[in-house]
Amino acid sequence: MSKQQLELLNRAFKLLDSAVSPQDFTLILHFDESPSAEALQAGAKSAGERFGAAARIETPLDLEGFVNRSFDLRPGYPIKQALIGATLATRFHHVAADGLSAALWLGHQLGVAHGLTPPANSAELSLRRAKTSVRRSQFAYDRACDPLWTPARSTRTGKRRWTTFSFPATDLRQACRRKGGFTYSDLLAACTLEVYRRWNESHGQNGTRRVRPAKVGIWLPMNIRSRSFEGFGNGTSRVRLYARYAASASLVEKAREVRRQVSWTTEHGEWAVPEIPLFNQLPGWITGPLLRRYLNRPSVDMATGVFSHADRWAGRAAEAFEHVDRIECIGLLHPRQNLAINAATHQGQTWMTFTYDTGLLNAGEVDQLVEIYKQQIAVARDELL
């Protein structure tokens, strides 16, 4: 992929960044045995030199304040860290890194902090080229997806809050392999689609019972690196998946439909990043408003919400995470997306983090969304185990 395409991804996140839609994400690692602050600082320095992205470790009073503080890129630190007891929170600005880059950076830092030899992952980013490129999936609706229902009082604030729960993953993952036709990630994506569909259909349109079925979809990040675990930066594009199945279908059938869509959209290059030379040449004060206006058009399909699942660690980086016993992934929210569901599977557990804007949803409403997801996991166990 050309330099122009790489620069387009970086510039897009910088131009979309705003007080009500901050374009950074946070990984929170809870340790059973935390490295010292000095060891973590040494690891951060080494990772900064390795990947060209430095971090500064702080000791804030609380995590929520740290996560929601304005992210100032001017000092030259696209990564910010907070150490509170045995918890390490790391904010990555998307102008510099994607989720896999975050795992590479943290794996290097923790490896150094624990006295391990850091994995020799290349910092050079090379992206795949698409043989064909479609802008719209054949599974897309005739119009953009419905947004996630929020109360009429809703006003976006940019203040993020999150809730996390976990469940055993090993038996479900093995059952998915035995059943065949879909992966564990496909199953989790199907559960996410069901959360959005059931939530929207139960609340209706503008507080009234919905006459037509909800048209929901998920915004799924896709790693488009030439080498899966090599390269620091923005090596992630996206595809969109839709609830194109009968509501009465089994969850296994829904997971297979997700796999069918993933296979089609991967093969046909919905993830391809366009080359727009003019976009990189014009100043941000011109391209920023144009980009925001384009993406905020009702006809542009930003899906109903975000879903991602991290379940593989690069090479020896897995050793560095051995003392992590809980992971939380606080996602970023585009102005057209009201909820992000991010999963991480580690040491036989899957940790699900629901990120929401406090002006759009309250804790009680998010608890209801979480309960729907838990119900879907229970259904998966009944069907698969």
Side-chain angles (χ1 to χ4, degrees):
M1 187 167 284
S2 71
K3 183 179 179 181
Q4 288 180 343
Q5 290 165 301
L6 291 170
E7 290 177 350
L8 186 145
L9 287 171
N10 295 342
R11 287 203 73 197
F13 286 113
K14 185 174 183 179
L15 294 171
L16 290 172
D17 192 44
S18 70
V20 296
S21 183
Q23 297 297 294
D24 66 272
F25 60 95
T26 303
L27 294 182
I28 301 179
L29 306 180
H30 301 267
F31 297 101
D32 57 14
E33 183 182 332
S34 175
S36 68
E38 293 76 16
L40 287 171
Q41 188 63 66
K45 180 180 179 181
S46 179
E49 293 170 349
R50 175 63 178 163
F51 298 111
R56 177 180 291 164
I57 299 180
E58 309 171 20
T59 53
L61 296 176
D62 68 284
L63 279 177
E64 189 171 324
F66 171 74
V67 168
N68 286 302
R69 186 187 309 159
S70 177
F71 203 122
D72 187 0
L73 285 165
R74 286 175 298 179
Y77 290 91
I79 303 170
K80 300 184 185 299
Q81 290 193 302
L83 181 62
I84 302 177
T87 298
L88 179 67
T90 310
R91 292 179 68 186
F92 293 87
H93 201 288
H94 223 321
V95 72
D98 60 8
L100 181 60
S101 295
L104 293 173
W105 197 96
L106 286 169
H108 186 105
Q109 178 192 28
L110 296 180
V112 171
H114 285 298
L116 303 172
T117 302
N121 301 103
S122 172
E124 183 179 351
L125 184 61
S126 173
L127 305 185
R128 285 187 286 148
R129 290 182 178 272
K131 294 180 181 178
T132 61
S133 176
V134 297
R135 296 182 60 185
R136 182 181 173 86
S137 167
Q138 71 169 7
F139 302 97
Y141 303 118
D142 55 358
R143 54 178 177 74
C145 290
D146 297 330
L148 187 78
W149 179 89
T150 57
R153 57 169 167 75
S154 302
T155 303
R156 189 176 295 275
T157 65
K159 183 179 180 181
R160 286 168 289 185
R161 196 165 287 167
W162 65 96
T163 185
T164 303
F165 68 98
S166 69
F167 51 86
T170 303
D171 54 352
L172 278 176
R173 186 192 293 275
Q174 292 172 347
C176 290
R177 285 197 287 263
R178 287 196 302 269
K179 199 73 172 177
F182 62 96
T183 67
Y184 180 57
S185 290
D186 296 333
L187 179 69
L188 299 183
C191 291
T192 301
L193 283 169
E194 281 299 282
V195 169
Y196 293 155
R197 184 184 70 80
R198 290 168 183 264
W199 178 260
N200 274 15
E201 291 190 354
S202 67
H203 287 88
Q205 192 73 31
N206 298 322
T208 61
R209 189 70 182 176
R210 185 181 295 272
V211 176
R212 60 174 176 78
K215 294 187 174 183
V216 300
I218 56 177
W219 184 274
L220 183 73
M222 176 171 283
N223 179 17
I224 58 172
R225 288 166 169 79
S226 299
R227 297 178 298 280
S228 295
F229 296 109
E230 298 288 335
F232 185 90
N234 278 310
T236 299
S237 184
R238 62 91 187 99
V239 296
R240 288 159 292 197
L241 307 176
Y242 305 90
R244 286 291 199 177
Y245 45 69
S248 59
S250 69
L251 193 56
V252 166
E253 291 171 332
K254 293 168 182 174
R256 285 180 173 147
E257 172 60 23
V258 165
R259 172 47 41 188
R260 186 164 74 101
Q261 292 187 33
V262 170
S263 298
W264 186 94
T265 197
T266 300
E267 179 183 352
H268 290 81
E270 189 194 358
W271 47 267
V273 180
E275 291 192 55
I276 311 176
L278 190 63
F279 182 83
N280 292 325
Q281 295 168 8
L282 293 174
W285 63 269
I286 294 177
T287 54
L290 289 175
L291 180 64
R292 288 190 289 270
R293 187 177 300 173
Y294 172 78
L295 293 179
N296 287 327
R297 290 182 303 152
S299 60
V300 174
D301 191 356
M302 299 300 293
T304 305
V306 180
F307 169 73
S308 71
H309 177 218
D311 67 339
R312 291 188 297 167
W313 308 98
R316 291 196 61 202
E319 297 179 46
F321 291 91
E322 285 185 0
H323 293 290
V324 175
D325 62 6
R326 182 183 177 196
I327 301 174
E328 297 180 275
C329 307
I330 302 168
L332 58 85
L333 296 171
H334 184 273
R336 296 273 301 282
Q337 296 163 342
N338 300 335
L339 182 70
I341 299 178
N342 300 94
T345 297
H346 178 59
Q347 294 183 345
Q349 289 283 117
T350 293
W351 300 92
M352 306 291 306
T353 303
F354 283 50
T355 305
Y356 60 100
D357 188 300
T358 57
L360 300 177
L361 294 163
N362 61 38
E365 290 159 344
V366 175
D367 285 344
Q368 294 175 43
L369 287 158
V370 167
E371 187 58 33
I372 298 173
Y373 203 105
K374 290 179 177 179
Q375 291 169 3
Q376 294 306 301
I377 294 298
V379 171
R381 291 190 177 282
D382 287 342
E383 293 186 13
L384 290 168
L385 301 178

